[in-house]
Amino acid sequence: MLRVDTPSLMLDIEKLTQNIKAMQAYSLQHHIALRPHIKTHKSVHIAKLQLKHGAVGITVAKLSEAEVMADAGIENIFIAYPISAPQKLKKLLHLTLQANITVAIDSIEQARMMNEFFQSSNQTVEVWIKVDSGLHRCGVTPGEEALSLATFITSCSQLRLTGIFTHAGHSYAAKNTEELLLIGEQEAKAVVESALLCEQANIPILHRSVGSTPTYQISGAVAGITEVRPGNAAFFDMVQVGLGVATVEQCALTVLASVVSTKANRVIVDSGSKSLTSERGAHGNESIKGFGYIKEHPDLTIERLSEEHGIVTFSSPHTLQLNDTIEIIPNHACPVVNLFDSYFVHKNGEHIDTWPVDARGCNK
């Protein structure tokens, strides 16, 4: 085991690279583009590694993430989030002068606000319509409502509509493979049928994008889809393992923790909710047991968390002693990354580099 201070965010460079190559191989096999979501890793190093292996650009969740990536020289960025507040539109304008930026639109009101703002600068911005494929978060209803929004956007002098996209986040709550397949097919259908309706009205839709990690290999194979945007697939985590999308061996990200106390019926480690988060699965996943998977001791359970403490319970004898270290695969990697300043990058048991979590805290 690598001896580093704990808790630390550990990244296996070989597993990361294998996962990135697998995403790219899938996109090449299906003749579609790969635009990975960087909200999982928030890392310039990893984003550039994904681009090096063939990604056409990146996806971000927030404007501030886009700023970090653009400042690092990344030129093709899709902001998969609706932006309308004046202070954010000012930042967006600056970004469009710095990189090739595309922005999500999910209402006529938002489109009107954005168009009016960009009229004052005589600058145009590329936009994609978000459709709701079942998560019931942001997005217009596929079909006629998507067409209505597309029609309005084409009347906006400063907006250039080039795509339709969706995010099937409800796939994280799938109870079995059959349900996952259905969600993936519906995800693609929401985009493809909306795009077809627009094109029948002489509104061309160049990009048709899908992309949750659990479904991208399903929806990405549907005729008419042009790109996928998986994020978590760079690392994987216990939610993906529970869904059957990945194996424990594929998980590239772990949290290294130390035993700080041992009691008759429990072991306490130095990783609590401020290291592992208290999440047990995104969007309702019920496959999770405890607050992370202990690689060296899969029979032990991280039963509860305080902010700085993880309480591990057991039903049979164990060998853990004071100052022993354990590697924990997080339930959900994305929020865990946002709790750390840097990655401890390792290969074959050796520390090879330390990478900053460049966009940590970029939630605006």
Side-chain angles (χ1 to χ4, degrees):
M1 177 65 66
L2 291 161
R3 301 302 301 184
V4 297
D5 200 5
T6 58
S8 286
L9 191 65
M10 313 295 287
L11 182 57
D12 187 317
I13 187 65
E14 290 191 311
K15 292 181 179 181
L16 169 68
T17 303
Q18 289 168 1
N19 292 342
I20 290 173
K21 286 181 177 180
M23 284 187 277
Q24 193 63 50
Y26 174 86
S27 67
L28 290 173
Q29 178 187 353
H30 291 86
H31 307 290
I32 56 178
L34 173 67
R35 189 187 303 271
H37 209 311
I38 64 89
K39 74 178 180 67
T40 295
H41 56 71
K42 291 178 170 278
S43 163
V44 169
H45 276 88
I46 299 174
K48 289 186 174 181
L49 189 61
Q50 291 173 313
L51 292 168
K52 178 183 176 182
H53 279 90
V56 299
I58 62 170
T59 305
V60 301
K62 292 295 186 74
L63 190 61
S64 53
E65 288 180 340
E67 290 174 324
V68 169
M69 296 296 150
D71 286 344
I74 293 176
E75 298 178 348
N76 193 317
I77 303 172
F78 171 45
I79 305 173
Y81 204 90
I83 297 171
S84 58
Q87 64 269 34
K88 294 186 185 299
L89 290 174
K90 290 178 183 178
K91 293 180 179 180
L92 177 61
L93 173 60
H94 177 73
L95 272 175
T96 61
L97 302 175
Q98 187 178 354
N100 178 16
I101 304 295
T102 306
V103 188
I105 295 280
D106 89 328
S107 71
I108 288 176
E109 183 180 16
Q110 180 209 352
R112 181 182 292 112
M113 289 179 178
M114 186 177 291
N115 188 61
E116 290 174 353
F117 176 86
F118 277 87
Q119 280 177 336
S120 63
S121 64
N122 198 31
Q123 179 76 10
T124 60
V125 61
E126 187 172 346
V127 299
W128 290 1
I129 290 172
K130 181 167 190 176
V131 296
D132 176 12
S133 56
L135 180 57
H136 305 317
R137 197 169 61 184
C138 294
V140 295
T141 302
E144 292 295 337
E145 190 175 357
L147 175 59
S148 295
L149 178 53
T151 302
F152 179 81
I153 292 173
T154 59
S155 72
C156 295
S157 59
Q158 312 308 124
L159 305 184
R160 185 163 60 95
L161 176 63
T162 62
I164 293 178
F165 79 105
T166 192
H167 171 63
H170 54 301
S171 61
Y172 283 78
K175 294 178 176 59
N176 50 55
T177 302
E178 290 72 22
E179 189 172 339
L180 201 58
L181 285 168
L182 179 61
I183 292 170
E185 291 166 357
Q186 292 172 337
E187 177 186 21
K189 180 180 178 181
V191 170
V192 172
E193 292 189 355
S194 296
L196 179 60
L197 202 59
C198 289
E199 295 197 326
Q200 288 172 347
N202 295 318
I203 302 173
I205 303 297
L206 180 63
H207 304 286
R208 305 166 185 196
S209 181
V210 292
S212 76
T213 288
T215 60
Y216 87 89
Q217 295 192 51
I218 302 166
S219 54
V222 174
I225 293 300
T226 65
E227 76 163 36
V228 290
R229 308 183 321 279
N232 189 277
F235 292 158
F236 293 124
D237 52 29
M238 290 312 295
V239 168
Q240 306 297 340
V241 173
L243 288 167
V245 173
T247 64
V248 165
E249 290 71 28
Q250 289 175 287
C251 294
L253 188 83
T254 58
V255 173
L256 188 69
S258 294
V259 175
V260 296
S261 182
T262 61
K263 304 299 176 185
N265 63 348
R266 63 193 184 278
V267 171
I268 299 89
V269 297
D270 61 0
S271 294
S273 62
K274 287 183 178 177
S275 301
L276 298 170
T277 81
S278 56
E279 188 174 302
R280 287 198 178 221
H283 304 304
N285 185 279
E286 297 179 355
S287 65
I288 296 303
K289 178 183 178 183
F291 292 94
Y293 176 89
I294 303 174
K295 289 179 64 175
E296 302 87 347
H297 302 275
D299 53 324
L300 304 185
T301 302
I302 306 173
E303 187 173 277
R304 56 191 173 93
L305 301 177
S306 299
E307 290 180 39
E308 312 292 352
H309 305 76
I311 293 81
V312 179
T313 58
F314 44 87
S315 57
S316 59
H318 65 87
T319 59
L320 285 175
Q321 299 177 10
L322 198 63
N323 293 330
D324 281 352
T325 56
I326 56 174
E327 273 192 279
I328 304 167
I329 300 176
N331 289 341
H332 189 189
C334 307
V336 168
V337 168
N338 199 44
L339 297 173
F340 287 85
D341 292 321
S342 59
Y343 295 97
F344 188 96
V345 185
H346 59 96
K347 179 180 181 180
N348 297 326
E350 297 291 333
H351 176 209
I352 62 169
D353 210 346
T354 300
W355 294 348
V357 181
D358 304 275
R360 181 189 180 190
C362 290
N363 299 321
K364 294 182 180 179

